[in-house]
Amino acid sequence: MNTTLQASTLLTIALAPLAGSMLAGIFGTALGGAWMGRKLSHGLTILGVLVSFVLSAQTLVQVVQEGASFNETIYTWMVVGGLKMEVGFLVDGLSAMMMCVVTFVSLMVHIYTIGYMEEDEGYNRFFAYISLFTFAMLMLVMSNNLLQLFFGWEAVGLVSYLLIGFWFNKPSAVFANMKAFLVNRVGDFGFILGIGLIAAYAGSLNYTEVFAKTTDLGALTLPGTSWMLVTVICICLFIGAMGKSAQFPLHVWLPDSMEGPTPISALIHAATMVTAGIFMVARMSPLFELSDTALNLIMVVGSITALFMGFLGIVQNDIKRVVAYSTLSQLGYMTVALGASAYSVAVFHLMTHAFFKALLFLAAGSVIMGMHHNQDIRYMGGVRKYMPITWITSLLGSLALIGTPLFSGFYSKDSIIEAVARSNLPASGWAFFAVMAGVFITAFYSFRMYFLVFHGKERFDQNPEAHHGHHSHHAPHESPWVVTLPLVLLAIPSVLIGYFTIEPMLFGDFFKGAIYVNADLHPAMREFQKDFHGALAMALHALSSVPLLMAMSGLTLSYYMYMVNPALPAAILRTFAPLHTLLVNKYYLDDFNEKVLARGSRALASVLWKQGDQGLIDGLLVNGSWKVVAFVSRLSRQLQTGFLYHYALVMILGMFGLITWFVWLNP
């Protein structure tokens, strides 16, 4: 029997992290007198997120077991011409799952931060930021209308700006957060255009009311064009997703987000910010199902991101950047699934990816701590015996990432491949090639990092920068329990959750009412269901499948090149030096953006400033207008002499002129 969730519970879930953030951010910093110590600050923020997680888990249980739901307005902000601007919650299977993922990963990051940021002066400020981040993401996923969605959308962007540039005295961090902010403004411009079109033609911002008018929207064209209105709306919405979820070509901000502390890298890449775009498209599935053009675009963009961002991971030497490029590639996989109308598979991969990607980032941070802040994998090696917990959890996360059978990543990634293979869209052929090739590439660069860090001979003394530090003579060491505990807790769902959730999430009623697919037009999931015979059977079948062969080939090649024959990578580098240069320079996209787009924008701005503002507006309109007035005034003053005979003469001449006109010229 369906039950209704309590509004008070949902408000508590959303506001508990906000309360912790405000207390730590005000009273734990100079803003409020800094009377709150570190223990109280992290205690209050962790308590807020813990409360939110526990209530989110209870909500998920109610949704799954009792069919509970909630879709109500909490507060009406204003009404403009019949358009209601509201704060409300929509809780169904999709949002309940997202709430649990966001709060659990955030809780792990909060605990981890106690150890990682122990020596940082901005300790309390950091806890305030990450709790605020959690609040913003919860408002986004729990919203029942586009206005509140946009609030959460912009809020996560703002907090990511604060967190990426957390070390504001570091020039590279300041550049990175500005880059993230500006690139996302490009995407958000498209997003708000899409919302504006929906408001204009649907007359509402509420999801339920908008979806009820999909038939009407599908029959309209954009005024003055032959373009289908729903196609324009979907493309605009997807441009927003391209920015938030870092899809080509708006992906350039995500690798640079590594300039922030490692815990925030885990939070951005796993559970917040980058998942917002994927969630939004899945939530808007009734609209996207009306436009094959938009779906094809989504599939093409996602496949480009999945394949070509994976190539960049091969040449990275910074341990965090390797994981960052794997995030880009996996986001591409999710986007491809959205394009194939496999929305449930996309959010399924979002969920499994959140756990093992948070695990990999936090493990990378643990390695950085153990290696005394060295991040270059070329100067690691043999770390396994010094950091056993970090080693085993990293191995589990890497196996999940490459899609090892029975691991969570296997079920979600292989489901994407299966769905794309059954898609009937024109772009599906290219997308299938991209995701299959991506399996090999992911396995190669993931285990390149794994082998260089944890196996082989120790290379700690070869780091040219280490000799300048006071830790250079120290061996690596295992991280404290506040760091290793989150690793262990994240490793459990990274291994198990896919096996237990694939059937209800993909083929059951888990997303019933939350995700809509027109199976007649887009039959990929219906065809996939016919061939699905359970989680265990899927894993057994994979033992002889092409994706597993690709993954094992990538792993084996990585082992041979970096463990057996380490001279081979150097030889390949010399042979393909131009290709390596291309990859190291990230296809020169950053150079293009900075030297063409940014410089062109600044040149255009200079022209508009000099010629437009100073020349036209200030010079012609403002200064010109008063000069005309002054000129007319001077002439007028010449005519106003004050002598009566001058005025009499003018009157006589005027009368003579009128008489001449009427008598001689107009007889």
Side-chain angles (χ1 to χ4, degrees):
M1 183 177 74
N2 290 355
T3 59
T4 302
L5 299 167
Q6 297 296 316
S8 57
T9 303
L10 301 179
L11 279 169
T12 305
I13 292 172
L15 297 180
L18 178 63
S21 172
M22 292 182 66
L23 290 170
I26 296 174
F27 302 112
T29 64
L31 181 64
W35 61 266
M36 187 182 290
R38 291 191 167 198
K39 288 186 177 180
L40 187 56
S41 291
H42 74 232
L44 288 173
T45 51
I46 290 173
L47 177 63
V49 177
L50 177 62
V51 169
S52 189
F53 168 65
V54 171
L55 293 177
S56 295
Q58 291 177 353
T59 300
L60 180 62
V61 170
Q62 288 180 276
V63 170
V64 173
Q65 294 184 353
E66 303 172 17
S69 62
F70 188 92
N71 185 13
E72 294 180 15
T73 298
I74 304 297
Y75 173 73
T76 300
W77 178 35
M78 70 172 131
V79 179
V80 181
L83 184 66
K84 295 181 179 179
M85 300 184 183
E86 304 167 327
V87 177
F89 294 140
L90 168 61
V91 178
D92 49 22
L94 177 59
S95 50
M97 181 274 292
M98 290 294 299
M99 288 155 58
C100 284
V101 169
V102 170
T103 52
F104 178 73
V105 172
S106 178
L107 180 62
M108 296 300 102
V109 169
H110 275 70
I111 297 171
Y112 179 95
T113 300
I114 297 173
Y116 193 88
M117 300 294 286
E118 183 181 11
E119 300 176 359
D120 199 281
E121 294 180 357
Y123 187 89
N124 292 352
R125 178 165 59 93
F126 189 83
F127 272 97
Y129 286 170
I130 57 177
S131 281
L132 185 61
F133 210 172
T134 308
F135 159 74
M137 192 64 189
L138 286 171
M139 290 296 288
L140 190 156
V141 301
M142 294 171 68
S143 66
N144 72 343
N145 63 86
L146 286 161
L147 179 67
Q148 188 176 328
L149 173 72
F150 189 71
F151 165 78
W153 192 272
E154 293 301 313
V156 294
L158 173 62
V159 183
S160 70
Y161 171 84
L162 297 173
L163 284 164
I164 295 170
F166 181 79
W167 290 317
F168 51 80
N169 292 320
K170 187 179 177 185
S172 58
V174 175
F175 179 82
N177 73 349
M178 185 58 69
K179 185 176 181 179
F181 191 81
L182 292 176
V183 172
N184 273 277
R185 296 292 69 73
V186 176
D188 292 353
F189 179 69
F191 188 51
I192 201 167
L193 285 179
I195 294 175
L197 287 171
I198 291 173
Y201 288 94
S204 175
L205 294 172
N206 185 277
Y207 296 157
T208 305
E209 295 175 6
V210 171
F211 297 155
K213 297 181 180 180
T214 52
T215 304
D216 296 335
L217 291 173
L220 298 175
T221 58
L222 190 69
T225 72
S226 59
W227 303 339
M228 296 297 297
L229 177 66
V230 72
T231 297
V232 177
I233 290 174
C234 290
I235 290 175
C236 287
L237 294 177
F238 179 63
I239 290 172
M242 287 168 64
K244 276 290 180 290
S245 294
Q247 295 299 292
F248 176 88
L250 301 182
H251 67 279
V252 293
W253 68 270
L254 192 60
D256 287 356
S257 69
M258 298 299 99
E259 293 295 336
T262 300
I264 193 53
S265 299
L267 200 53
I268 288 177
H269 287 242
T272 60
M273 188 79 170
V274 298
T275 61
I278 307 299
F279 167 81
M280 182 272 294
V281 176
R283 177 62 80 192
M284 295 289 118
S285 58
L287 289 177
F288 282 89
E289 282 299 285
L290 297 173
S291 175
D292 281 7
T293 303
L295 291 175
N296 273 289
L297 175 66
I298 293 171
M299 192 178 287
V300 170
V301 170
S303 56
I304 291 173
T305 308
L307 181 60
F308 289 98
M309 297 305 110
F311 285 131
L312 298 184
I314 298 173
V315 300
Q316 301 300 315
N317 295 313
D318 185 304
I319 188 171
K320 288 171 63 177
R321 286 185 178 267
V322 177
V323 185
Y325 278 106
S326 79
T327 299
L328 279 173
S329 183
Q330 297 309 304
L331 287 168
Y333 273 83
M334 299 175 206
T335 305
V336 167
L338 294 173
S341 293
Y343 307 99
S344 57
V345 180
V347 294
F348 179 48
H349 192 50
L350 184 158
M351 178 190 71
T352 62
H353 174 264
F355 297 122
F356 64 72
K357 186 50 54 72
L359 170 60
L360 287 171
F361 262 115
L362 298 186
S366 178
V367 170
I368 293 169
M369 291 176 64
M371 294 293 297
H372 311 291
H373 303 289
N374 170 39
Q375 296 184 197
D376 197 322
I377 61 177
R378 293 172 296 180
Y379 308 115
M380 297 183 183
V383 175
R384 175 172 60 101
K385 66 179 180 181
Y386 300 102
M387 306 179 70
I389 299 175
T390 303
W391 161 65
I392 192 65
T393 51
S394 294
L395 177 60
L396 294 174
S398 299
L399 290 172
L401 172 61
I402 70 170
T404 308
L406 296 175
F407 283 70
S408 61
F410 157 75
Y411 288 105
S412 55
K413 184 183 283 188
D414 269 42
S415 295
I416 293 173
I417 295 172
E418 295 289 345
V420 173
R422 291 165 174 78
S423 174
N424 58 358
L425 294 180
S428 60
W430 155 249
F432 182 73
F433 166 77
V435 295
M436 286 294 288
V439 173
F440 173 84
I441 296 165
T442 301
F444 179 80
Y445 68 69
S446 298
F447 274 86
R448 169 182 176 266
M449 179 185 72
Y450 170 78
F451 290 131
L452 287 176
V453 172
F454 294 105
H455 295 273
K457 64 179 183 178
E458 300 174 2
R459 300 179 298 276
F460 317 140
D461 58 343
Q462 298 178 18
N463 187 356
E465 298 181 2
H467 301 291
H468 302 292
H470 63 282
H471 292 301
S472 60
H473 60 284
H474 291 171
H477 58 83
E478 185 62 274
S479 301
W481 72 268
V482 288
V483 171
T484 55
L485 177 63
L487 298 183
V488 174
L489 293 178
L490 283 167
I492 297 170
S494 297
V495 177
L496 300 175
I497 199 165
Y499 181 89
F500 293 103
T501 58
I502 180 172
E503 191 162 358
M505 291 185 76
L506 300 196
F507 310 113
D509 294 333
F510 193 93
F511 294 126
K512 185 179 180 180
I515 290 173
Y516 169 76
V517 179
N518 187 337
D520 294 329
L521 292 178
H522 308 123
M525 289 303 296
R526 185 172 62 190
E527 297 300 317
F528 181 24
Q529 186 173 5
K530 293 178 181 178
D531 298 326
F532 181 80
H533 304 291
L536 183 60
M538 184 176 177
L540 293 173
H541 177 266
L543 297 176
S544 58
S545 66
V546 177
L548 182 63
L549 177 64
M550 299 287 282
M552 292 300 104
S553 299
L555 190 157
T556 304
L557 182 62
S558 176
Y559 178 79
Y560 176 77
M561 290 178 64
Y562 295 98
M563 292 289 100
V564 179
N565 188 7
L568 182 58
I572 294 174
L573 176 60
R574 289 192 299 271
T575 305
F576 298 98
L579 179 59
H580 179 263
T581 304
L582 178 67
L583 296 177
V584 167
N585 287 282
K586 298 174 281 189
Y587 308 116
Y588 294 98
L589 286 173
D590 281 338
D591 290 335
F592 176 78
N593 289 336
E594 293 169 21
K595 295 178 181 179
V596 178
L597 297 182
R599 187 175 295 177
S601 299
R602 290 195 299 269
L604 177 62
S606 180
V607 170
L608 293 174
W609 168 45
K610 292 287 187 181
Q611 307 301 324
D613 187 43
Q614 293 186 342
L616 181 62
I617 298 174
D618 290 345
L620 182 61
L621 297 181
V622 177
N623 294 334
S625 61
W626 73 257
K627 287 179 180 179
V628 169
V629 171
F631 176 74
V632 173
S633 299
R634 284 197 300 270
L635 292 178
S636 300
R637 285 197 300 271
Q638 298 300 319
L639 298 174
Q640 300 295 328
T641 63
F643 295 111
L644 185 61
Y645 57 85
H646 285 170
Y647 302 148
L649 177 62
V650 172
M651 290 174 64
I652 292 169
L653 292 174
M655 290 177 63
F656 179 77
L658 288 171
I659 293 170
T660 302
W661 174 263
F662 285 110
V663 175
W664 289 347
L665 300 179
N666 286 312

